[in-house]
Structure formats: C-alpha cells, structure tokens
Amino acid sequence: MTALSVQPYTPADAPAWDDFVARSKNATFLHHRGYMDYHADRFADASLMVWREGELVALLPAHRTADGIASHDGLTYGGFLVSPRMTTPLLLEAFAHTRRMLAAQGVASFAYKTIPHIYHRLPAEEDRYA
C-alpha cells in the first residue's frame, strides 16, 4: 500500500490541475478548469485531487448534490482523470481513500460516471474495474 492523500480542489490548484489534464491518459478539454468553472453558478464544486508521496496521480471532477457528490453533471462525462503511470491497484486504493474521506465528511452518496474509452489518449479503464 502506498501513501495516498485525497484533497479538495481549491482555485489556487488551477495551474496544477490544468497541467495534469494536459498530461493525463483520459482527460479532454472539458476537464480544464476554465471550462468547468463556467458551470460554477449551477454546480457547487467538490472536485478532488489524489496525491501519492507528493506526486499528483489522479483528479476527480465533481460537484455537490443534495446528499453527496457526483462526478460532474456539468460535463458530458466524468470519472477519475489519471496519470500515464496509473495502475489498477493504485486506482483501487484511490477509490478506497476517496470513499473513506467522503464518509468521514458525512457524504451519503457518490454518483460516478466513467469517461468513454474513445476519448482516452492511452488505455485508461482502471476505474471500470474498480
């Protein structure tokens, strides 16, 4: 098991977020903060950043719902955006950390939708397995 941490996104993280989107296996233009923040008046952001030993390994575009969070209804597709070095065991661990963090915050539901594989730059369906 690796040392993972899941942290809420803040506007100060925008440069790191957009840099990661540009390098990820499965993100598209929809995941850039400029596009996502366009929806800020309709969706309360609850995006998350997953770090492993100081390295950003995944992002989760998300927003608050009545009883939890969703992997962003303001976007056509959502789900974890992952680094080119993502593995299935690491994403399983990221899901587990995310679930624990959300449960500790009293989040009752987590609606998750994946990114269709046709938009992936590299194979990235670790989340479907998870």
Side-chain angles (χ1 to χ4, degrees):
M1 206 171 232
T2 59
L4 284 185
S5 68
V6 179
Q7 300 171 352
Y9 165 82
T10 68
D13 297 318
W17 181 286
D18 285 342
D19 180 60
F20 187 89
V21 165
R23 295 180 294 105
S24 77
K25 293 197 303 187
N26 60 340
T28 69
F29 74 94
L30 298 178
H31 301 109
H32 285 278
R33 288 315 306 194
Y35 185 87
M36 290 180 57
D37 293 343
Y38 172 78
H39 298 289
D41 62 326
R42 296 185 309 144
F43 299 98
D45 193 79
S47 296
L48 302 172
M49 302 176 80
V50 181
W51 298 86
R52 178 182 61 183
E53 300 169 358
E55 176 187 1
L56 187 56
V57 295
L59 302 173
L60 181 65
H63 70 92
R64 289 180 185 82
T65 64
D67 64 346
I69 71 165
S71 63
H72 219 297
D73 290 341
L75 305 174
T76 306
Y77 38 82
F80 277 105
L81 313 177
V82 298
S83 83
R85 298 187 326 182
M86 179 56 70
T87 63
T88 299
L90 181 58
L91 194 58
L92 286 168
E93 191 175 345
F95 260 113
H97 274 71
T98 299
R99 285 192 324 266
R100 283 193 297 275
M101 184 201 80
L102 294 173
Q105 294 177 354
V107 172
S109 70
F110 176 17
Y112 186 87
K113 56 186 177 183
T114 62
I115 300 169
H117 71 273
I118 61 168
Y119 298 115
H120 297 178
R121 287 188 287 270
L122 295 169
E125 293 190 325
E126 298 89 356
D127 61 342
R128 288 183 185 264
Y129 177 81

